[in-house]
Amino acid sequence: MSKKILMLVGDYAEDYETMVPFQALQMIGHQVDAVCPEKAKGDFIMTAIHDFDGAQTYSEKPGHRFILNADFAEVKEEDYDALLIPGGRAPEYLRLNEQVIKLVQAFDQSRKPIAAVCHGAQLLAAADVLKGRTCSAYPACAPEVRLSGGYYADIGIDEAYVDDNLVTAPAWPAHPQWLAKFAELLQK
């Protein structure tokens, strides 16, 4: 059964964590509405490509222009079946937007599936939805998960973790598991 998924993105969202879920979920029949605060349908965000190339942390390279296909100003949680939060640098500033935080909280209060990858956990922590829950994220976000009352799942970079309606993963190498587990939740 086709589901309607809201994807929260912003400038310098991680390229693979934005493009791959957006396309893959559509490929299996779901509608994915990509939105960004203060931007409208037809506007674009700039993505960034994060790679693991031997430095102490990921490197960042210019990504693509990702075209938004819906308007943030018109988004209501009750119109969607699930929420998807890519990582990258976007969650760092999106978590400062009160409307974004309220949306994340509404999806969680409704127990709708939420998929977050990498730095997407910053939005979950800021929305105060991690208390007593286990969440994976990019390892640099582990302190935020713990400070928000959650338990950090220290799993392989290519693994995903499910806690009730929440599916999380450390980074884009986990896409096969992360998206498969999210797709399973969408069928329930």
Side-chain angles (χ1 to χ4, degrees):
M1 177 197 274
S2 178
K3 301 289 182 171
K4 191 173 178 185
I5 302 164
L6 179 66
M7 185 166 76
L8 289 172
V9 298
D11 284 318
Y12 301 103
E14 207 292 321
D15 190 84
Y16 294 154
E17 294 168 5
T18 303
M19 301 279 196
V20 172
F22 182 76
Q23 294 172 338
L25 290 164
Q26 288 180 81
M27 180 195 73
I28 60 174
H30 300 299
Q31 176 182 331
V32 183
D33 287 355
V35 299
C36 177
E38 300 176 20
K39 294 194 181 202
K41 180 179 181 177
D43 290 345
F44 66 87
I45 61 157
M46 291 302 303
T47 66
I49 297 170
H50 294 149
D51 207 355
F52 309 100
D53 48 17
Q56 290 179 320
T57 189
Y58 58 87
S59 63
E60 185 172 84
K61 296 155 183 72
H64 298 92
R65 287 184 178 191
F66 177 79
I67 306 295
L68 303 171
N69 65 347
D71 292 320
F72 180 81
E74 297 173 8
V75 168
K76 295 179 189 139
E77 169 270 327
E78 57 266 19
D79 294 337
Y80 292 90
D81 299 301
L83 176 66
L84 191 139
I85 306 170
R89 284 195 283 136
E92 178 182 284
Y93 76 87
L94 290 176
R95 65 186 168 169
L96 303 176
N97 184 301
E98 187 176 322
Q99 290 176 288
V100 168
I101 296 302
K102 287 180 180 178
L103 262 177
V104 174
Q105 290 170 336
F107 274 92
D108 190 61
Q109 288 166 358
S110 297
R111 304 322 275 172
K112 292 180 179 180
I114 299 174
V117 63
C118 198
H119 286 71
Q122 290 178 312
L123 275 179
L124 301 176
D128 199 27
V129 300
L130 293 178
K131 281 191 177 105
R133 301 177 76 188
T134 302
C135 171
S136 183
Y138 189 69
C141 297
E144 289 172 87
V145 170
R146 292 182 185 118
L147 287 169
S148 68
Y151 303 100
Y152 176 68
D154 188 8
I155 59 178
I157 199 158
D158 59 349
E159 296 178 324
Y161 193 89
V162 178
D163 184 331
D164 191 30
N165 65 317
L166 188 62
V167 182
T168 55
W172 58 260
H175 278 347
Q177 276 201 29
W178 180 61
L179 290 171
K181 290 176 189 286
F182 186 49
E184 286 175 22
L185 279 183
L186 292 172
Q187 292 179 8
K188 291 183 180 182

